[in-house]
Amino acid sequence: MSKIFRRVSEFFKTRNHVGQDKAGNRYFTRTEEIDGIMKEKRWVVFKGVEDDPTSIPVEWICWLNGQRKKAPTPEEMIELEARRELVRQNIALRKKEEEERRAREGGSRKVSSTGKVGGPDLKSFIQQFPSDSKGLKFKEESKATDRARKRDREPENAEEDPLPSSSEPSGSGSTYRPGTWQPPT
């Protein structure tokens, strides 16, 4: 029993109060010797009955995880909160300007602010491609390419041996001719 009491009293004696955040959560640290190495333990005591990890600010999370060596100061927290508020105001101003611009342009689309990022504009994406849905242009281009390949395969003079027609590529070094191989049909 005395061992347990000693450990509990040791726990409360050695803990240091580091700071407190806006939500009232308190942060502590303690230095322990584990396997001959001095290690610093960091933890949070939540304000209220339930532990709510979402109430911890990012700066304190970084400190708890060891990504920051020093705990955030109250001045730093005030400065960061002011910067976040400025960003929120800028976003609201941008949204308002965007809605006004769309209203002036008389856009046929109704702007709905759901807070989510919209997907790509598929209409403008499709306009980049030929409007012929039957693919005739592609067939014509394909035929023209086949004719050009045939001309490349034909020997320039009759004395030259024609290239063997096989499903495997042939030639290497100086005899290699790009575009001569055709997949088997």
Side-chain angles (χ1 to χ4, degrees):
M1 186 72 153
S2 65
K3 259 186 176 179
I4 294 173
F5 180 72
R6 186 168 28 104
R7 290 197 112 207
V8 169
S9 65
E10 203 175 281
F11 173 77
F12 286 108
K13 273 196 299 189
T14 60
R15 75 179 189 172
N16 299 323
H17 181 262
V18 177
Q20 187 169 344
D21 64 15
K22 188 175 160 183
N25 301 323
R26 296 182 333 222
Y27 300 90
F28 296 94
T29 184
R30 176 179 68 230
T31 306
E32 291 181 344
E33 183 178 342
I34 300 174
D35 296 332
I37 300 171
M38 296 300 286
K39 291 195 175 188
E40 184 180 48
K41 297 288 183 179
R42 299 172 177 181
W43 71 95
V44 61
V45 175
F46 293 97
K47 181 180 181 181
V49 180
E50 294 183 24
D51 295 350
D52 184 18
T54 60
S55 69
I56 301 176
V58 174
E59 294 77 24
W60 282 107
I61 291 172
C62 291
W63 178 79
L64 286 169
N65 291 330
Q67 296 170 343
R68 291 179 64 132
K69 290 185 180 182
K70 295 186 179 188
T73 62
E75 295 83 18
E76 179 185 359
M77 296 299 291
I78 291 169
E79 182 183 319
L80 290 169
E81 186 60 35
R83 187 178 302 153
R84 287 184 186 117
E85 183 59 34
L86 182 63
V87 169
R88 281 187 211 107
Q89 290 173 357
N90 286 340
I91 289 171
L93 181 65
R94 287 275 190 194
K95 284 183 180 178
K96 183 179 174 184
E97 289 174 354
E98 184 68 20
E99 288 173 0
E100 288 174 358
R101 184 184 62 82
R102 287 185 179 166
R104 273 185 276 136
E105 290 176 356
S108 59
R109 291 188 340 182
K110 183 179 178 183
V111 177
S112 61
S113 178
T114 60
K116 296 181 181 177
V117 177
D121 183 16
L122 295 177
K123 188 179 272 187
S124 64
F125 178 73
I126 292 173
Q127 288 175 354
Q128 296 175 7
F129 298 100
S131 61
D132 188 12
S133 62
K134 295 180 183 175
L136 295 176
K137 290 182 182 178
F138 296 117
K139 287 182 183 177
E140 292 170 3
E141 290 173 6
S142 160
K143 288 179 183 176
T145 307
D146 288 344
R147 277 187 251 123
R149 285 184 180 158
K150 254 188 200 175
R151 275 196 308 265
D152 288 345
R153 276 190 253 145
E154 292 175 2
E156 291 180 13
N157 54 29
E159 295 170 8
E160 247 182 76
D161 290 334
L163 293 173
S165 93
S166 72
S167 63
E168 297 297 318
S170 60
S172 62
S174 61
T175 61
Y176 174 73
R177 295 174 69 183
T180 57
W181 178 78
Q182 292 290 317
T185 55

